[in-house]
Amino acid sequence: MSTITVYHNPSCGTSRNVLALIRERGEEPQVIEYLKTPPSRETLKQLAAATGGSVRTIVRSKAAPYEELGLADPKWSDEQLLDFMEQHPILLNRPIVVTPLGTRVCRPAETVLEILPPA
């Protein structure tokens, strides 16, 4: 089983590029299509913590519900943001990559190179 996990949206060019960069390094990651299989609330908390940020770090601001729900307002707590993310999985920023060397929201795609094992 791979030690690399990608929270992936196949319709996202950046997400596809990250997956390609990982595979170019000879790794075959566990791919989680988070729109089909949304991560649990606990997993979302763990991902945010692993990036070194708050839950807001992993919220996608370019998703339609972000604007509609007014999520840019700092009044929303991490718990409230998690509620929204559970209701609208599209709010998960992508791609998030987890490796033994760290966890990153890989935007731009080349960010993944910081946490991949040497080629």
Side-chain angles (χ1 to χ4, degrees):
M1 186 165 169
S2 178
T3 58
I4 298 173
T5 301
V6 180
Y7 290 86
H8 177 63
N9 181 342
S11 67
C12 170
T14 302
S15 198
R16 290 191 309 270
N17 289 340
V18 164
L19 195 52
L21 285 168
I22 294 168
R23 288 176 172 155
E24 284 172 14
R25 286 283 182 100
E27 300 284 343
E28 186 53 44
Q30 176 186 13
V31 177
I32 299 173
E33 290 189 32
Y34 66 88
L35 293 176
K36 291 181 181 177
T37 311
S40 69
R41 184 182 196 92
E42 190 55 37
T43 298
L44 292 170
K45 284 182 183 181
Q46 290 169 359
L47 288 170
T51 66
S54 68
V55 170
R56 193 168 288 281
T57 306
I58 63 168
V59 175
R60 184 166 191 266
S61 61
K62 292 185 178 155
Y66 185 87
E67 297 268 335
E68 295 163 8
L69 298 167
L71 298 183
D73 191 324
K75 74 178 181 180
W76 301 112
S77 69
D78 279 358
E79 291 301 316
Q80 290 169 313
L81 291 172
L82 288 166
D83 290 340
F84 288 121
M85 291 174 80
E86 286 183 312
Q87 294 166 23
H88 307 279
I90 192 72
L91 287 169
L92 180 62
N93 208 348
R94 61 180 182 256
I96 296 177
V97 179
V98 180
T99 78
L101 300 176
T103 300
R104 300 276 189 287
V105 176
C106 294
R107 299 189 80 78
E110 294 74 24
T111 305
V112 75
L113 300 175
E114 298 172 4
I115 57 170
L116 290 179

